Amino acid sequence: MSASKSTGGVSPLWQIRAAIDPRHYWVLALLGLVAPLLGWGVASSLDGVDKVFLPGPADVLSRMWTWAVEDGLAGDVAISTWRVVAGWALSAVIALPLGLFIGSYRSVQALLEPLTDFIRYMPAVAFIPLVMLWVGIEEGSKVAIIFIGTFFQMVLMVAEDVRRVPLAQIEAAQTMGATRGEIIEKVIVPSAKPALLDTLRVTMGWAWTYLVVAELVAANSGLGYAVLKAQRFLQTDKIFAGILMIGLIGLVIDQGFRLVHRKAFPYLAGRH
Amino acid sequence: MSARIEIHDANKVFGHGPRAITALESADLDIRPNEFVTFVGASGCGKSTLLRMIGGLESLTSGNITVNGQPITGPGVDRAMVFQHYSLYPWLTVLDNIRFCRQLKAHTRDRTSADVEKASGRADALIRLMGLSHVAHAYPSQLSGGMQQRVAIARALMSRPPILLMDEPFGALDAQTREVMHDLIRHVHRIEGSTIVFVTHDVEEAIYLGQRIVLMAPRPGRIDTLYDVPLPAERHQDMKLEPAFLALKREILERIRETSGMKTDLEQLARLNADAAATAQE
Ligand SMILES: Nc1ncnc2c1ncn2[C@@H]1O[C@H](COP(=O)(O)OP(=O)(O)OP(=O)(O)O)[C@@H](O)[C@H]1O
Ligand SMILES: [Mg+2]
């Protein structure tokens, strides 16, 4: 299918939106990951580049190793993951039903959407003093920062996903005598589900980007905290290791979401 | 299993003030039980609006519409609707789409095991009638446009609605598929005894399907002329070549042209042509 279309001599790789061979996909994806790594390796080994300024991949790897065996990397990963997932899950638990209502009823939209739009522009960092004042400096404060960073965007995205449900699907149910509750339960929710899962995936990524901010708050563990501490001691290799670790976890989680998406919505595999 | 629809002085205005659009002005129409009525007319003349008002999806600004004497207040199980597209549920298989209404309280109030059996029998019968047996467990995204519309029709028929409302259901289909669908829907009309209101912008389709044609005109949207179709109840494709058919087609097309207000400006066309010729010579 991918190579058979007459394309006027243009390779499928350069055709707009054309499907490409899965093997090509993997080669390119690998290239996209490996090339920057190589570039980094070369740049860091140039003469006159200070290790404190730019450590090489080998330095970072060995730092990652010592961190893992002597410095409790696993513990940092665990606590950070827990904070991010807790903050993100908390916002999901509230944002999903709220977004569903905003997207289904214009009145709720009028009531809540401008307010949400207003709040979401406020920087999460600016809430740190307030959070410390209101929530304290325990675990709750880190979760709260991640919640603040994620929640308002998530509500708006959920509402938008719900509004994208084709009106014809809803009206078809109405003409079959469905009640409002039945329309929400049997049409809107199942119809929006694939988009909602994507929203959860994207917002999970945003939640991770708030980790360092969250661990600014009186933390003494976690990947973000480790990065901040390394900064204080000018351990550039550890900063690199921490950032890479966060990226790696993000990559794994993202792939997990994509896998669930493929398995949960087989009906999307048809034609597009 | 049939119903009479009476439309009395139905008006519909969208919007307020200077931006208000009169989509429908004092429409009056009686549709007999088991009648097959088709609506045609220029774009924007209010066909969809009137159909949606019968379906209860659009409110009336004034006037009223009754079904068997009962005023319409909203959508109801007595009036099924088939949309042009995007109305199937992509997460359900063909069979589950067709059986969708069986999940709704409105259809399961007095549910006995005999009812359940009858319903599953009906779903099977509809699948066979629509020629969907081989794709019963496929998802809509795996079907062609024509098959998807057959699923939509089967789903609408599942609850034995006395009234079937169709808004350009075959608008996106190719000519051959449409012909098949035409005979299918006429067959359904005969065996189900339902009243069918069918909107189209294809005059040939309107004549071939309808017993009566309602021609609507725009600005403001209104019912312009009613035509009785001079064809026997039993139709077949050859009739499209009969003089009576062609004469009616010409008459309706002419009237649509007159009412649409979009006369082809021959002078403009001539000038365009002249321009094109001039450029070609350069
Ligand atoms: N929801 C709406 N809000 C505002 N105006 C509307 C709305 N729906 C329809 N209209 C207007 O009402 C008029 C009639 O529209 P309608 O869709 O009923 O026409 P139609 O005959 O079905 O046209 P077409 O053949 O193009 O489908 C049009 O001028 C349209 O712009
Ligand atoms: Mg229309």
Side-chain angles (χ1 to χ4, degrees), chain A residues 144-166:
Chain A
I145 292 293
I146 287 171
F147 173 84
I148 291 170
T150 325
F151 174 74
F152 299 98
Q153 307 275 357
M154 200 194 262
V155 173
L156 294 177
M157 287 174 74
V158 169
E160 192 54 37
D161 292 340
V162 168
R163 274 195 291 266
R164 290 236 179 84
V165 173

Side-chain angles (χ1 to χ4, degrees), chain A residues 11 33 42 49 54 126 131 141 180 189 229 236 244 252:
Chain A
S11 139
L33 289 171
V42 170
V49 175
L54 182 65
V131 166
S141 62
R180 266 177 313 173
V189 170
K229 199 174 74 176
T236 326
L244 282 181
V252 169

Side-chain angles (χ1 to χ4, degrees), chain B residues 32-105:
Chain B
R32 295 185 299 273
N34 197 18
E35 195 177 14
F36 199 138
V37 179
T38 50
F39 290 2
V40 287
S43 186
C45 64
K47 305 182 292 289
S48 297
T49 303
L50 182 52
L51 192 79
R52 290 168 57 80
M53 281 169 24
I54 299 172
L57 294 172
E58 208 82 73
S59 64
L60 280 73
T61 306
S62 68
N64 69 76
I65 300 178
T66 61
V67 171
N68 290 336
Q70 294 296 313
I72 287 173
T73 54
V77 292
D78 56 338
R79 284 153 290 141
M81 191 136 170
V82 180
F83 300 81
Q84 186 169 359
H85 42 206
Y86 304 131
S87 77
L88 290 181
Y89 301 126
W91 61 94
L92 297 178
T93 62
V94 165
L95 185 59
D96 288 335
N97 262 285
I98 294 173
R99 288 192 301 212
F100 181 81
C101 70
R102 298 298 302 167
Q103 298 181 29
L104 304 175
K105 285 189 224 82

Side-chain angles (χ1 to χ4, degrees), chain B residues 219-241:
Chain B
R219 282 177 297 278
R222 62 192 186 277
I223 292 179
D224 184 80
T225 321
L226 304 179
Y227 301 89
D228 283 313
V229 177
L231 296 176
E234 194 80 27
R235 309 265 164 105
H236 48 86
Q237 299 289 342
D238 299 341
M239 290 178 179
K240 291 179 182 171
L241 301 174

Side-chain angles (χ1 to χ4, degrees), chain A residues 156-254:
Chain A
L156 294 177
M157 287 174 74
V158 169
E160 192 54 37
D161 292 340
V162 168
R163 274 195 291 266
R164 290 236 179 84
V165 173
L167 191 58
Q169 287 181 7
I170 295 171
E171 290 184 334
Q174 285 177 325
T175 59
M176 288 186 266
T179 61
R180 266 177 313 173
E182 284 174 329
I183 288 172
I184 290 180
E185 180 201 332
K186 295 182 199 298
V187 179
I188 293 182
V189 170
S191 184
K193 252 188 208 165
L196 290 175
L197 188 60
D198 264 331
T199 290
L200 289 179
R201 178 175 65 80
V202 170
T203 48
M204 172 67 102
W206 292 345
W208 274 97
T209 65
Y210 282 102
L211 179 67
V212 180
V213 174
E215 292 182 351
L216 273 174
V217 187
N220 49 23
S221 61
L223 292 169
Y225 164 75
V227 168
L228 290 166
K229 199 174 74 176
Q231 178 203 357
R232 222 171 303 144
F233 296 104
L234 227 59
Q235 292 172 312
T236 326
D237 50 355
K238 189 156 184 184
I239 299 182
F240 267 73
I243 294 174
L244 282 181
M245 204 62 222
I246 293 177
L248 225 55
I249 297 172
L251 191 67
V252 169
I253 294 181
D254 216 74

Side-chain angles (χ1 to χ4, degrees), chain A residues 54-73:
Chain A
L54 182 65
D59 307 317
V60 172
L61 259 180
S62 84
R63 166 62 76 168
M64 191 110 64
W65 180 251
T66 42
W67 189 356
V69 293
E70 291 165 20
D71 237 1
L73 173 64

Side-chain angles (χ1 to χ4, degrees), chain B residues 12-15 19 21-24 40-52 58 84 167-168 199-201 216 218-219 221:
Chain B
K12 180 70 189 183
V13 179
F14 286 108
R19 298 186 138 239
I21 294 174
T22 306
L24 193 67
V40 287
S43 186
C45 64
K47 305 182 292 289
S48 297
T49 303
L50 182 52
L51 192 79
R52 290 168 57 80
E58 208 82 73
Q84 186 169 359
D167 193 353
E168 302 197 28
V199 168
T200 175
H201 55 242
M216 297 182 65
R219 282 177 297 278

